Protein backbone atom coordinates (compact mmCIF):
# COMPACT_ATOMS: atom_id res chain seq x y z
CA UNK A 1 0.00 0.00 0.00
CA UNK A 2 1.57 3.27 -1.19
CA UNK A 3 0.38 5.45 1.69
CA UNK A 4 2.31 8.49 0.49
CA UNK A 5 0.43 8.41 -2.82
CA UNK A 6 -2.90 7.80 -1.07
CA UNK A 7 -2.48 10.74 1.32
CA UNK A 8 -1.39 13.06 -1.50
CA UNK A 9 -4.72 12.35 -3.26
CA UNK A 10 -6.69 12.85 -0.03
CA UNK A 11 -4.86 16.09 0.80
CA UNK A 12 -5.57 17.50 -2.67
CA UNK A 13 -9.29 16.86 -2.19
CA UNK A 14 -9.11 18.43 1.29
CA UNK A 15 -7.48 21.55 -0.14
CA UNK A 16 -10.39 21.88 -2.55
CA UNK A 17 -12.87 21.46 0.29
CA UNK A 18 -14.24 18.16 -1.03
CA UNK A 19 -15.39 15.08 0.87
CA UNK A 20 -16.31 13.16 -2.29
CA UNK A 21 -13.35 11.86 -4.30
CA UNK A 22 -13.57 11.87 -8.08
CA UNK A 23 -13.73 8.47 -9.76
CA UNK A 24 -10.20 8.77 -11.14
CA UNK A 25 -8.92 9.69 -7.64
CA UNK A 26 -10.67 6.67 -6.09
CA UNK A 27 -9.18 4.46 -8.79
CA UNK A 28 -5.73 5.99 -8.21
CA UNK A 29 -6.00 4.97 -4.54
CA UNK A 30 -7.06 1.42 -5.40
CA UNK A 31 -4.13 1.15 -7.83
CA UNK A 32 -1.86 2.32 -5.02
CA UNK A 33 -3.14 -0.69 -3.04
CA UNK A 34 -2.24 -3.07 -5.86
CA UNK A 35 -5.75 -3.75 -7.18
CA UNK A 36 -6.21 -4.33 -10.91
CA UNK A 37 -7.78 -1.18 -12.37
CA UNK A 38 -8.28 -1.17 -16.16
CA UNK A 39 -6.60 1.73 -17.95
CA UNK A 40 -8.28 5.13 -17.68
CA UNK A 41 -7.50 8.74 -18.51
CA UNK A 42 -9.31 12.00 -17.72
CA UNK A 43 -10.08 13.97 -20.89
CA UNK A 44 -10.92 17.66 -20.57
CA UNK A 45 -11.67 18.17 -24.26
CA UNK A 46 -13.15 16.08 -27.04
CA UNK A 47 -9.75 16.00 -28.79
CA UNK A 48 -8.10 14.61 -25.65
CA UNK A 49 -10.82 11.94 -25.44
CA UNK A 50 -10.09 10.88 -29.04
CA UNK A 51 -6.35 10.74 -28.33
CA UNK A 52 -6.77 8.74 -25.11
CA UNK A 53 -9.17 6.27 -26.74
CA UNK A 54 -6.54 5.56 -29.41
CA UNK A 55 -3.92 4.99 -26.71
CA UNK A 56 -6.16 2.72 -24.62
CA UNK A 57 -7.68 0.93 -27.61
CA UNK A 58 -11.32 0.50 -28.60
CA UNK A 59 -13.85 -0.42 -27.33
CA UNK A 60 -13.92 2.13 -24.51
CA UNK A 61 -16.34 3.48 -21.91
CA UNK A 62 -16.95 7.19 -21.27
CA UNK A 63 -18.05 8.54 -17.87
CA UNK A 64 -18.74 12.06 -16.66
CA UNK A 65 -16.44 13.20 -13.83
CA UNK A 66 -17.86 15.64 -11.28
CA UNK A 67 -18.02 15.66 -7.51
CA UNK A 68 -21.54 17.08 -7.90
CA UNK A 69 -22.83 14.13 -9.98
CA UNK A 70 -22.75 10.96 -7.89
CA UNK A 71 -25.19 8.73 -9.81
CA UNK A 72 -23.78 9.11 -13.31
CA UNK A 73 -25.94 6.49 -15.05
CA UNK A 74 -29.17 8.14 -13.90
CA UNK A 75 -28.52 11.20 -16.06
CA UNK A 76 -27.01 9.40 -19.06
CA UNK A 77 -23.49 10.20 -17.93
CA UNK A 78 -22.08 6.80 -18.91
CA UNK A 79 -21.66 5.34 -22.42
CA UNK A 80 -20.30 1.82 -22.91
CA UNK A 81 -19.06 -0.19 -25.88
CA UNK A 82 -17.81 2.76 -27.93
CA UNK A 83 -16.13 1.21 -30.97
CA UNK A 84 -14.70 4.09 -33.02
CA UNK A 85 -13.91 7.80 -33.16
CA UNK A 86 -17.28 8.85 -34.56
CA UNK A 87 -19.16 7.03 -31.79
CA UNK A 88 -16.82 8.53 -29.21
CA UNK A 89 -17.39 12.11 -30.37
CA UNK A 90 -21.17 11.63 -30.40
CA UNK A 91 -21.07 10.03 -26.94
CA UNK A 92 -18.84 12.78 -25.55
CA UNK A 93 -21.18 15.52 -26.74
CA UNK A 94 -24.28 13.72 -25.49
CA UNK A 95 -22.80 13.09 -22.02
CA UNK A 96 -21.79 16.74 -21.68
CA UNK A 97 -25.22 17.91 -22.84
CA UNK A 98 -27.09 15.67 -20.41
CA UNK A 99 -24.78 16.52 -17.49
CA UNK A 100 -25.14 20.27 -17.99
CA UNK A 101 -28.88 19.98 -18.48
CA UNK A 102 -29.40 17.89 -15.32
CA UNK A 103 -26.82 19.70 -13.17
CA UNK A 104 -26.29 23.20 -14.60
CA UNK A 105 -24.28 24.28 -11.54
CA UNK A 106 -22.07 21.17 -11.41
CA UNK A 107 -18.29 21.46 -11.48
CA UNK A 108 -17.53 19.18 -14.43
CA UNK A 109 -13.89 18.03 -14.40
CA UNK A 110 -14.03 16.24 -17.74
CA UNK A 111 -14.85 12.79 -19.07
CA UNK A 112 -13.06 9.61 -18.03
CA UNK A 113 -12.02 7.39 -20.95
CA UNK A 114 -11.95 3.81 -19.65
CA UNK A 115 -10.75 0.52 -21.03
CA UNK A 116 -13.70 -1.82 -21.62
CA UNK A 117 -13.70 -4.83 -19.27
CA UNK A 118 -14.64 -8.32 -20.42
CA UNK A 119 -17.80 -9.83 -18.96
CA UNK A 120 -17.51 -11.78 -15.73
CA UNK A 121 -19.52 -11.99 -12.51
CA UNK A 122 -20.33 -8.55 -11.15
CA UNK A 123 -19.70 -8.18 -7.43
CA UNK A 124 -19.82 -5.27 -5.02
CA UNK A 125 -17.32 -4.57 -2.25
CA UNK A 126 -17.84 -1.69 0.12
CA UNK A 127 -16.87 -0.31 3.49
CA UNK A 128 -18.40 2.11 5.94
CA UNK A 129 -17.82 3.41 9.44
CA UNK A 130 -19.96 1.77 12.12
CA UNK A 131 -20.35 3.81 15.35
CA UNK A 132 -19.88 0.70 17.48
CA UNK A 133 -17.48 -1.52 15.51
CA UNK A 134 -15.49 1.00 13.46
CA UNK A 135 -14.73 0.18 9.80
CA UNK A 136 -16.92 -2.62 8.42
CA UNK A 137 -16.46 -4.39 5.07
CA UNK A 138 -19.38 -5.59 2.90
CA UNK A 139 -19.48 -8.06 0.01
CA UNK A 140 -22.21 -9.24 -2.33
CA UNK A 141 -22.99 -10.04 -5.95
CA UNK A 142 -24.00 -7.01 -8.00
CA UNK A 143 -27.26 -6.02 -9.67
CA UNK A 144 -30.48 -7.65 -8.47
CA UNK A 145 -28.69 -9.68 -5.79
CA UNK A 146 -27.70 -6.61 -3.78
CA UNK A 147 -30.50 -4.23 -4.81
CA UNK A 148 -33.52 -6.53 -4.44
CA UNK A 149 -32.44 -9.63 -2.54
CA UNK A 150 -30.04 -7.81 -0.15
CA UNK A 151 -27.77 -10.86 -0.43
CA UNK A 152 -24.69 -9.45 1.29
CA UNK A 153 -22.19 -10.40 4.00
CA UNK A 154 -20.40 -8.17 6.53
CA UNK A 155 -17.20 -8.37 8.57
CA UNK A 156 -15.39 -6.01 10.90
CA UNK A 157 -12.19 -4.80 9.20
CA UNK A 158 -9.43 -5.78 8.76
CA UNK A 159 -9.75 -9.37 7.58
CA UNK A 160 -7.29 -11.79 6.02
CA UNK A 161 -7.77 -13.85 2.87
CA UNK A 162 -9.17 -16.88 4.77
CA UNK A 163 -11.83 -14.72 6.43
CA UNK A 164 -12.64 -13.21 3.05
CA UNK A 165 -13.16 -16.71 1.56
CA UNK A 166 -15.60 -17.48 4.38
CA UNK A 167 -17.35 -14.19 3.71
CA UNK A 168 -17.79 -15.06 0.02
CA UNK A 169 -19.39 -18.38 0.93
CA UNK A 170 -21.76 -16.63 3.36
CA UNK A 171 -23.95 -15.18 0.60
CA UNK A 172 -26.74 -17.33 -0.86
CA UNK A 173 -25.74 -16.60 -4.47
CA UNK A 174 -22.11 -17.73 -4.08
CA UNK A 175 -22.56 -20.78 -6.44
CA UNK A 176 -22.60 -18.34 -9.38
CA UNK A 177 -18.89 -17.76 -8.73
CA UNK A 178 -18.14 -21.49 -8.87
CA UNK A 179 -19.67 -21.88 -12.33
CA UNK A 180 -23.23 -22.87 -13.22
CA UNK A 181 -24.82 -24.17 -16.44
CA UNK A 182 -21.50 -24.84 -18.13
CA UNK A 183 -19.81 -21.58 -17.14
CA UNK A 184 -16.25 -21.83 -15.84
CA UNK A 185 -15.31 -21.20 -12.23
CA UNK A 186 -14.27 -17.64 -11.47
CA UNK A 187 -11.09 -16.60 -9.66
CA UNK A 188 -12.35 -16.79 -6.08
CA UNK A 189 -8.83 -16.57 -4.61
CA UNK A 190 -8.28 -13.25 -6.36
CA UNK A 191 -11.68 -12.03 -5.15
CA UNK A 192 -10.77 -12.91 -1.56
CA UNK A 193 -7.48 -11.03 -1.91
CA UNK A 194 -9.33 -7.95 -3.20
CA UNK A 195 -11.75 -8.04 -0.25
CA UNK A 196 -8.88 -8.40 2.22
CA UNK A 197 -6.89 -5.53 0.63
CA UNK A 198 -9.93 -3.25 0.75
CA UNK A 199 -10.52 -4.14 4.40
CA UNK A 200 -6.95 -3.11 5.24
CA UNK A 201 -7.32 0.12 3.27
CA UNK A 202 -10.44 1.16 5.19
CA UNK A 203 -8.84 0.12 8.50
CA UNK A 204 -5.46 1.80 8.00
CA UNK A 205 -6.56 4.98 6.20
CA UNK A 206 -9.11 6.36 8.65
CA UNK A 207 -9.56 9.48 6.50
CA UNK A 208 -11.67 7.35 4.12
CA UNK A 209 -15.03 6.59 5.75
CA UNK A 210 -16.88 5.07 2.81
CA UNK A 211 -15.76 2.98 -0.18
CA UNK A 212 -17.92 1.48 -2.90
CA UNK A 213 -16.46 -0.70 -5.67
CA UNK A 214 -19.42 -1.52 -7.88
CA UNK A 215 -18.84 -3.53 -9.88
CA UNK A 216 -15.70 -5.46 -9.18
CA UNK A 217 -15.71 -7.83 -12.16
CA UNK A 218 -14.60 -11.35 -11.21
CA UNK A 219 -13.08 -13.16 -14.18
CA UNK A 220 -11.72 -16.67 -14.73
CA UNK A 221 -8.33 -15.15 -13.92
CA UNK A 222 -8.21 -12.13 -11.65
CA UNK A 223 -10.63 -9.32 -10.80
CA UNK A 224 -10.95 -5.85 -12.29
CA UNK A 225 -12.24 -2.63 -10.71
CA UNK A 226 -14.87 -1.18 -13.06
CA UNK A 227 -16.26 1.65 -10.94
CA UNK A 228 -15.29 3.12 -7.58
CA UNK A 229 -16.44 5.80 -5.18
CA UNK A 230 -14.89 7.07 -1.93
CA UNK A 231 -15.95 9.57 0.72
CA UNK A 232 -13.66 11.30 3.20
CA UNK A 233 -14.26 11.90 6.89
CA UNK A 234 -15.63 15.31 7.82
CA UNK A 235 -13.11 17.45 9.65
Amino acid sequence: MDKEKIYSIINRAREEGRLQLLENEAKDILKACGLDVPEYKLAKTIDEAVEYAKEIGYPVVLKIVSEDIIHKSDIGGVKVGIKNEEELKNAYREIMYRAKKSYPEANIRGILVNEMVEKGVETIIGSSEDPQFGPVIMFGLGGIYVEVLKDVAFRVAPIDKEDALEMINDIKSYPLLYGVRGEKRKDINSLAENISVLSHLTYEISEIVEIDINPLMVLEEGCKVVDARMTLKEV
Side-chain angles (χ1 to χ4, degrees):
M1 192 182 297
D2 187 346
K3 290 187 177 180
E4 188 177 333
K5 173 81 179 288
I6 292 168
Y7 278 111
S8 72
I9 295 164
I10 291 170
N11 292 338
R12 186 169 65 241
R14 290 274 190 221
E15 287 166 8
E16 295 181 6
R18 288 188 285 117
L19 294 179
Q20 194 68 43
L21 294 186
L22 305 172
E23 182 180 342
N24 52 302
E25 292 172 332
K27 285 181 170 180
D28 286 345
I29 287 176
L30 295 173
K31 279 181 73 175
C33 294
L35 298 193
D36 187 352
V37 184
E39 198 173 346
Y40 58 94
K41 291 197 173 185
L42 181 61
K44 300 191 176 176
T45 66
I46 197 165
D47 290 335
E48 281 187 356
V50 169
E51 179 187 335
Y52 295 156
K54 285 177 182 173
E55 290 176 14
I56 292 170
Y58 290 101
V60 295
V61 177
L62 297 188
K63 299 181 188 179
I64 193 73
V65 177
S66 170
E67 61 270 33
D68 302 314
I69 305 174
I70 306 302
H71 301 289
K72 302 181 284 286
S73 298
D74 293 351
I75 60 142
V78 179
K79 295 288 182 184
V80 303
I82 297 166
K83 298 186 287 292
N84 54 54
E85 186 175 319
E86 184 182 356
E87 286 186 13
L88 182 136
K89 287 180 176 178
N90 290 336
Y92 187 101
R93 293 188 189 103
E94 185 179 344
I95 288 173
M96 281 296 189
Y97 170 77
R98 288 177 178 272
K100 289 174 181 176
K101 185 179 179 183
S102 301
Y103 291 87
E105 303 299 320
N107 181 18
I108 296 174
R109 306 293 185 126
I111 287 183
L112 206 62
V113 183
N114 299 262
E115 177 188 344
M116 189 93 172
V117 176
E118 64 183 284
K119 192 66 179 168
V121 174
E122 291 188 14
T123 64
I124 177 171
I125 309 177
S127 74
S128 58
E129 194 78 18
D130 183 90
Q132 187 172 355
F133 297 107
V136 173
I137 192 93
M138 180 271 287
F139 164 75
L141 262 60
I144 187 173
Y145 297 99
V146 66
E147 292 168 14
V148 179
L149 304 178
K150 310 295 184 193
D151 186 17
V152 292
F154 294 90
R155 291 288 190 282
V156 175
I159 62 173
D160 60 20
K161 184 179 169 184
E162 284 68 31
D163 290 328
L165 285 167
E166 281 184 17
M167 190 180 183
I168 292 166
N169 290 319
D170 274 357
I171 64 170
K172 298 181 185 71
S173 47
Y174 79 89
L176 293 173
L177 291 162
Y178 285 84
V180 293
R181 294 193 173 181
E183 289 193 2
K184 291 186 178 178
R185 176 189 169 112
K186 301 300 183 277
D187 195 340
I188 294 164
N189 274 325
S190 176
L191 175 58
E193 285 168 6
N194 275 254
I195 294 170
S196 177
V197 167
L198 195 74
S199 79
H200 283 274
L201 170 63
T202 192
Y203 180 76
E204 294 181 34
I205 311 293
S206 59
E207 291 267 353
I208 303 172
V209 292
E210 197 171 310
I211 304 173
D212 185 13
I213 302 179
N214 185 19
L216 176 77
M217 197 71 78
V218 188
L219 309 172
E220 288 174 26
E221 288 188 20
C223 300
K224 291 185 182 289
V225 174
V226 177
D227 202 352
R229 286 190 292 166
M230 292 187 191
T231 306
L232 301 179
K233 183 181 289 182
E234 287 194 47
V235 177

